[in-house]
Amino acid sequence: MRFLRLKDVIDKTGLSRSTIYRQIADGCFPKGIPLGGKATGWLESEIEDWMLERLAKRNG
C-alpha cells in the first residue's frame, strides 16, 4: 500500500489539479486522505482502479 501526493497523482493520471478536485467534488474521483498537517495523499491502488474504470468505459 502506498500513498501518492498530489504531484504524483497529476503525473500518473495526466489530470490537472483543478480537474482532480472538481471530479472529487462531483464524486467521480477518489478522495484524498489527510496525512497530517496540510498533507493529503491518495491510495495508489484507488487511483489505479479509477484509471482501469476509465479504460473499461472506453473499451466497453
Side-chain angles (χ1 to χ4, degrees):
M1 189 177 321
R2 179 174 171 224
F3 287 112
L4 300 176
R5 298 297 301 274
L6 181 58
K7 181 186 179 310
D8 300 319
V9 175
I10 291 169
D11 290 343
K12 192 168 189 89
T13 64
L15 299 174
S16 69
R17 177 187 187 279
S18 58
T19 299
I20 289 169
Y21 281 108
R22 184 173 49 248
Q23 288 194 11
I24 289 170
D26 292 343
C28 300
F29 195 84
K31 290 183 180 179
I33 300 163
L35 300 177
K38 294 182 180 180
T40 301
W42 283 260
L43 275 177
E44 185 174 32
S45 60
E46 289 181 354
I47 300 302
E48 289 173 349
D49 289 346
W50 177 86
M51 293 172 72
L52 289 171
E53 287 174 18
R54 303 288 78 69
L55 207 67
K57 285 182 181 180
R58 182 191 77 174
N59 295 332

